[in-house]
Amino acid sequence: MAARRSLPLLVALLFASASLSHTDAASLAEADVLLRFKRMITDPNGKLGNWVAGEKPCGDGKGKGKWDGVICSDGNLHGLQLENMGLSGMLNVSVGVLRELPDLRTLSFRDNQFSGPMPDVKNLAGLRSIYLSNNKLSGEIPEDAFQGMGSLKKVDLSHNDFSGPIPTSLARVLKLLQLRLDDNNFSGAIPDLRQKELQLLNVSHNELEGKIPDGLKNVKEAFFDGLISSLSLSLSKPCLL
Ligand SMILES: *[C@@H]1O[C@H](CO)[C@@H](O)[C@H](O)[C@H]1NC(C)=O
Ligand SMILES: *[C@@H]1O[C@H](CO)[C@@H](O)[C@H](O)[C@H]1NC(C)=O
Ligand SMILES: *[C@@H]1O[C@H](CO)[C@@H](O)[C@H](O)[C@H]1NC(C)=O
């Protein structure tokens, strides 16, 4: 009788310990991903010194991440905020490994020395925000760079050396709230972004030309400073031109 009763308890305990060790295993797998990322970048000032093998990036699961620049909530790794750390390296090479972080929602590498072309972020499908401003990223961004990014709301690529057309896949990022592309070398026309939620668009200080698309007339904060040539003044906010 006693044995029969304790069987469900035993099963429950087995399940509990199995899920606990899965959490530990998942944390160590996350640590492994981040350490591989760290090995692919350059950290001349040792800002990522507390990223150490065998430890959990989110610590004991309460509050913020244990490792510098790692954002966690309830033990889940949600973001990397590696800002103004003097980091360098080719982001197109290193960002690929972050695909193995399923809960990643935000990436900020702003104010560093990262170089190379735009990293392939569309594989990080759960991202809500990407901040790459103030680096040395360059080259053309593929047309489909933001394809299928259904959660993406904030994109900041400002103050880099990007050139070529603004990728039209941005027009299909349905939840887009903020887009900063200012102070680059983008050329060609501004895509017709018709997202209703779009609040901030900054394309100032580029080599863009042509008409400001109708879809942008309702954007609360729109900056087109320095737009060259056949600029149409049909916009309702001439003060911002
Ligand atoms: C990263 O960009 C460089 C320069 O364009 C290129 O040579 C290299 O193949 C790229 N690597 C990856 C993994 O995309
Ligand atoms: C827009 O871009 C210009 C040029 O980079 C910058 O000076 C300005 O602060 C930006 N404003 C906003 C609100 O993004
Ligand atoms: C900006 O792009 C144009 C082509 O659109 C090119 O001729 C020019 O050299 C580029 N300038 C810089 C500073 O990269």
Side-chain angles (χ1 to χ4, degrees), residues 159 180 182-183 200 202 204-205 221 223:
H159 308 290
R180 285 196 60 180
D182 47 287
D183 194 22
L200 169 68
N202 195 339
S204 297
H205 299 186
E221 290 188 87
F223 300 86

Side-chain angles (χ1 to χ4, degrees), residues 196-225:
K196 286 205 174 63
E197 308 288 316
L198 189 63
Q199 295 169 346
L200 169 68
L201 172 72
N202 195 339
V203 295
S204 297
H205 299 186
N206 279 289
E207 300 292 318
L208 298 163
E209 53 193 331
K211 200 168 162 284
I212 292 168
D214 289 345
L216 299 179
K217 287 181 186 164
N218 300 317
V219 179
K220 250 181 250 145
E221 290 188 87
F223 300 86
F224 303 96
D225 217 32

Side-chain angles (χ1 to χ4, degrees), residues 115-167:
S115 56
M118 177 74 188
D120 189 2
V121 291
K122 66 180 181 302
N123 291 316
L124 311 173
L127 275 193
R128 296 178 186 180
S129 49
I130 306 170
Y131 303 100
L132 301 177
S133 57
N134 274 304
N135 279 285
K136 296 174 183 305
L137 300 167
S138 61
E140 296 201 9
I141 301 181
E143 191 279 326
D144 66 349
F146 299 93
Q147 193 62 41
M149 299 191 76
S151 306
L152 192 60
K153 293 183 171 175
K154 297 179 184 178
V155 177
D156 187 350
L157 309 182
S158 63
H159 308 290
N160 279 289
D161 288 312
F162 289 120
S163 56
I166 294 175

Side-chain angles (χ1 to χ4, degrees), residues 90-94 115-118 120 138:
M90 307 272 285
L91 274 189
N92 71 319
V93 175
S94 47
S115 56
M118 177 74 188
D120 189 2
S138 61

